[in-house]
Amino acid sequence: MSPGSLDDIYRDRVILDHCRNPRNRRTLESPDFSCDAINPFCGDEIHIQINLGDNGRIKEVGCQSEGCAINQAAGSLLSQSICGLTVDQAGNLSTKFVTMMKSKSPDLVSNHEDEIINTSELVALYQVRQFPVRIKCVLLAWTALNKGLEG
């Protein structure tokens, strides 16, 4: 991955689209569980509600995020990526995604075994690794999800 500027990330097609048109922005009124996370240093917030179907899969996700474009895009991308998964699958995806974002390996995405990450728009967030202080913006939604899955 060639180094770019932070401005390039904010102009990335996927990140820009998910920030401007966040998916699943609605608030679910009676969720099976909900989770929140706040970064007190920058003020980014994320609020997630999840409904499960009769088959134990995630049927609906509501995701409201405030703050920087990266946080908003990450929340939108998370909400799309976990729909249809079981709670265990969502937890596994979260573990793999967080590991990928925190890894020091520059080629982790191309070598990564998880097809969901490699074949989805989630891979767009990988470029944020070039700016370590911004990784927290990407991971805030995943932190909230993990809190919800644990509780």
Side-chain angles (χ1 to χ4, degrees):
M1 172 189 316
S2 61
S5 73
L6 190 56
D7 288 340
D8 292 338
I9 291 172
Y10 282 109
R11 285 190 291 262
D12 178 88
R13 177 191 58 81
V14 172
I15 292 173
L16 196 57
D17 181 45
H18 278 269
C19 177
R20 288 182 177 164
N21 306 296
R23 288 18 166 226
N24 303 306
R25 181 91 175 153
R26 68 194 176 281
T27 301
L28 303 183
E29 293 303 319
S30 299
D32 290 317
F33 66 92
S34 60
C35 35
D36 305 289
I38 297 171
N39 183 339
F41 297 108
C42 67
D44 283 354
E45 294 185 24
I46 188 103
H47 309 283
I48 301 171
Q49 306 84 42
I50 294 176
N51 279 330
L52 301 174
D54 293 335
N55 59 2
R57 295 188 175 274
I58 296 172
K59 182 172 95 174
E60 291 181 290
V61 179
C63 180
Q64 308 80 47
S65 57
E66 296 180 26
C68 73
I70 295 171
N71 174 52
Q72 292 182 48
S76 176
L77 286 160
L78 175 145
S79 74
Q80 273 194 313
S81 68
I82 64 171
C83 276
L85 300 180
T86 65
V87 170
D88 286 343
Q89 289 171 329
N92 289 336
L93 175 61
S94 180
T95 298
K96 290 175 183 179
F97 184 81
V98 170
T99 299
M100 177 189 80
M101 290 304 295
K102 290 183 175 180
S103 172
K104 302 296 181 201
S105 172
D107 297 322
L108 186 60
V109 163
S110 61
N111 297 328
H112 204 274
E113 297 175 3
D114 194 291
E115 284 299 310
I116 293 175
I117 294 173
N118 281 328
T119 60
S120 73
E121 292 181 324
L122 283 174
V123 77
L125 296 171
Y126 184 75
Q127 64 187 316
V128 176
R129 291 180 63 236
Q130 297 176 68
F131 307 95
V133 73
R134 304 305 295 214
I135 292 173
K136 290 179 183 178
C137 303
V138 170
L139 294 181
L140 191 64
W142 298 91
T143 299
L145 177 64
N146 288 336
K147 284 182 192 177
L149 294 176
E150 290 170 3

